[in-house]
Amino acid sequence: MLNLISFDLSPLGAFGQVALLAALAFTLSGFSLAVLGGVRRDDRLTESASRVTWAVFGFATLALIALWSALLRDDFSVRFVADHSMTVSPLWVKIVSLWGALEGSILLWAWLLALFTFLVATVAKKDALKPWVLASMFVSLLFFVGVNATVASPFTPVANPPAQGAGPNPLLQNHWMMAVHPVLMYIGFVGLAVPFAYGVAALLTGRTGNLWLVQTRRWTLVAWAFLTAAIVAGGWWSYEVLGWGGYWAWDPVENASFVPWLLATAFLHSLQVQERRRILVRWNVWLIVAAYAATILGTFLNRSGVVQSVHAFGNGPVGPVFLGFFGVLILGGLVLATWRAPLLRDEHSVDQPVSREGAYLAGNVVFLVFAIMVVVGTLFPAFVEAIQGTRISVGPPFFNVFAIPLGLLILFLMGVGPLLPWRRAPGEKLLNALRFPALMFVLAVLTGLAVGAHEIGVLLTCGLVAYNIAGLAQLTVRAARQRRAGLVTLVREQPRRYGAYLAHLGIAIVALGFAFSGTYRAETIVTLEQNKAHKALHERLTFLGLGTERLPDRQSVYARVLVDGVEYRPRNNAYVTSRDPVATPAVRYALLGDTYLVVTAYDAKGAWVNIRLIESPLVSWIWWGTLVVVLGAGLTLAAPAPARVPSRSTRVAPATD
């Protein structure tokens, strides 16, 4: 660690390394104080540990500023800058280069973790859980700051700095989403450390009741919302940059982000069951341990070179370290859960499978099976290579075999759950509750058949989406009638409930986008001659000629193509750091379907150009639906307004509300 400090070779790098070491030292002291505070039940020690989080966050911030300063000043005496930046890069590319490679991305992760630890120390209740929550957060910080200060330090000095850096990966400087997607993903991953810390604190203190769940629900929702936005933002980035017209390829690194999302989604639903019925206590502990451990497993896959991926950071030195930390989390969770097994008993049981808790439990099982299958498909090639020495790949056909039916099953349970009462569903009221949504299901399927949709998966998706929306509308209208209140009043009084409804509506919109864009995507390659109109798929295309653009960091050749009278410019960008051009599509976004143009070949004199033309129906519904999901999650965080007493109605709410 100390040999990385050389004020002679790299003053800025040395400053950053010293800041990291100071953050590491304060993290160690904070962990010690938190543990002592918990063991001795001494609030003064716990308060001291809370104040140490300020110092850790402060020094982590200084390290972050040091690396950003080195990037912006083109200080190639810092190894990270020399390897991943260059003088001619635009300002925004230099800024986002901080998380464009292994060491800088871990620094951002460590800084976000320090920020979350600081926030937890500031807002957490002063109870028996707090010292152990802080201790658990400090353990995660020890790992990330420790890795960043040793095997993955971005501040390694360079004895003979080059005049020009190697520059960032071309794909990372080809789209502004590089500034958004990674940050969202890291916030989502880091955010799951908080509920994990509360779960560990509950096990250590033996307070395994609802207290830790109540304190952790909002943290989990925030992490889940960011993770949701990050996954879909990554899909949009892939759609905009990679030139294949798709957004999800079951790539190992994509899967690594999807597994924690599945587990966190299951946790968000099962914690409601524990809050309401005092059941699934052990299940919830395991879910949050598994969700946080899955973020570490995903980071291991992304940074170890074990799997092949366009998103991976290559064969970094931190793979074994992350694998070891993943093992510690799983083993630690197993030991704690075994130790506290007598306290992890449910006070009740599921009275009837046809009940709200029964639907939530079934949904949890589906989410868990989904996550296990994704992990198996992701790691299977690595196991085969380790045992047989041969490389194989597991592609979309394998994942789609189980993902489509499980996704439809989730849609079905998502619609059933809110309609069912807790404990049991009396037959007559259940039928009354399901009649209207079931009717909408049938009508949607028939409508789909009438407009020419014959694939069973698409028809079932349409039916289940209609079923979900009808169920949510029915519950909302019934509540409005009973309370004699408008929608705004209902939302103000019960933001948690209606935020969840809004999130479910967003999921339904996303499902339609997946179903139609995945099934009815059409593609062709067409050769366009200059100034001659061509008909391809459902478009009328006219090639107007080639154009060029020269910038300090790249040279672009673009084709001017009229699509139904509007000009679009798909291009090939050739960066100074790469010999291979990067095809950058032009996309015509539309509500009912996108038109996607990619240059695959062209005549240097501009006589002709080959265009890959892709039409994807409803693909934009994925992006808009995700926005609705995130808005719904945000609404659930709002504080409820005082409930208004209905003026006249004294009717008892039906069991399905």
Side-chain angles (χ1 to χ4, degrees), residues 206-242:
R207 297 170 185 263
T208 55
N210 287 354
L211 179 64
W212 75 278
L213 285 177
V214 172
Q215 295 189 52
T216 202
R217 188 184 71 85
R218 290 176 180 240
W219 290 102
T220 311
L221 264 170
V222 170
W224 181 85
F226 274 99
L227 195 53
T228 303
I231 291 171
V232 178
W236 189 19
W237 186 11
S238 172
Y239 182 70
E240 281 260 334
V241 168
L242 296 183

Side-chain angles (χ1 to χ4, degrees), residues 203-559:
L203 290 173
L204 286 171
T205 59
R207 297 170 185 263
T208 55
N210 287 354
L211 179 64
W212 75 278
L213 285 177
V214 172
Q215 295 189 52
T216 202
R217 188 184 71 85
R218 290 176 180 240
W219 290 102
T220 311
L221 264 170
V222 170
W224 181 85
F226 274 99
L227 195 53
T228 303
I231 291 171
V232 178
W236 189 19
W237 186 11
S238 172
Y239 182 70
E240 281 260 334
V241 168
L242 296 183
W244 62 299
Y247 42 80
W248 189 265
W250 295 108
D251 179 273
V253 174
E254 294 173 349
N255 298 346
S257 66
F258 189 44
V259 171
W261 184 88
L262 288 168
L263 297 173
T265 307
F267 177 71
L268 280 173
H269 289 82
S270 61
L271 71 82
Q272 298 178 51
V273 179
Q274 183 175 339
E275 282 183 298
R276 185 67 179 246
R277 296 293 321 281
R278 308 288 194 273
I279 57 179
L280 304 183
V281 177
R282 187 176 303 174
W283 180 273
N284 279 323
V285 169
W286 271 113
L287 270 182
I288 198 57
V289 170
Y292 183 55
T295 67
I296 304 302
L297 177 64
T299 309
F300 160 71
L301 295 176
N302 197 4
R303 290 164 171 79
S304 64
V306 168
V307 296
Q308 300 299 310
S309 168
V310 296
H311 307 283
F313 283 95
N315 299 316
V318 301
V321 183
F322 272 89
L323 185 60
F325 189 51
F326 170 74
V328 167
L329 292 178
I330 293 296
L331 184 61
L334 180 62
V335 170
L336 286 175
T338 304
W339 174 41
R340 291 301 192 186
L343 300 176
L344 298 175
R345 291 176 178 169
D346 295 343
E347 295 181 14
H348 306 285
S349 60
V350 177
D351 296 329
Q352 285 188 358
V354 185
S355 60
R356 188 172 296 186
E357 57 267 44
Y360 283 2
L361 179 58
N364 262 240
V365 172
V366 175
F367 279 120
L368 187 61
V369 170
F370 207 148
I372 291 172
M373 292 300 294
V374 173
V375 170
V376 169
T378 304
L379 293 180
F380 185 71
F383 286 136
V384 170
E385 184 175 359
I387 295 172
Q388 299 181 351
T390 57
R391 285 201 163 187
I392 66 168
S393 63
V394 176
F398 168 81
F399 291 99
N400 289 339
V401 164
F402 64 85
I404 293 174
L406 290 180
L408 291 171
L409 190 53
I410 289 172
L411 269 182
F412 170 72
L413 293 170
M414 189 176 82
V416 167
L419 292 171
L420 295 177
W422 295 100
R423 302 193 65 177
R424 58 178 57 87
E428 184 178 351
K429 290 185 176 178
L430 177 62
L431 289 176
N432 288 336
L434 296 180
R435 185 175 294 124
F436 177 61
L439 176 63
M440 291 299 103
F441 174 90
V442 174
L443 287 177
V445 171
L446 293 177
T447 303
L449 286 170
V451 299
H454 299 293
E455 285 70 16
I456 185 67
V458 174
L459 290 173
L460 286 175
T461 302
C462 292
L464 289 170
V465 165
Y467 169 85
N468 272 271
I469 294 174
L472 297 176
Q474 175 176 285
L475 290 172
T476 304
V477 170
R478 184 171 295 168
R481 287 177 177 172
Q482 289 171 350
R483 295 196 56 78
R484 297 181 182 277
L487 180 60
V488 174
T489 302
L490 291 177
V491 172
R492 289 181 66 241
E493 292 179 353
Q494 295 182 311
R496 181 174 174 180
R497 169 179 292 189
Y498 291 98
Y501 288 2
L502 190 60
H504 281 195
L505 176 63
I507 293 290
I509 295 172
V510 170
L512 285 175
F514 281 144
F516 278 85
S517 63
T519 305
Y520 298 112
R521 178 180 186 268
E523 175 179 347
T524 186
I525 295 181
V526 58
T527 300
L528 304 178
E529 297 177 74
Q530 191 172 16
N531 296 322
K532 289 186 178 179
H534 293 73
K535 181 75 174 177
L537 299 180
H538 299 90
E539 318 295 344
R540 185 176 181 81
L541 308 176
T542 304
F543 173 48
L544 300 180
L546 293 176
T548 60
E549 183 181 39
R550 292 179 183 274
L551 296 173
D553 62 326
R554 64 178 165 85
Q555 178 177 337
S556 302
V557 177
Y558 59 84

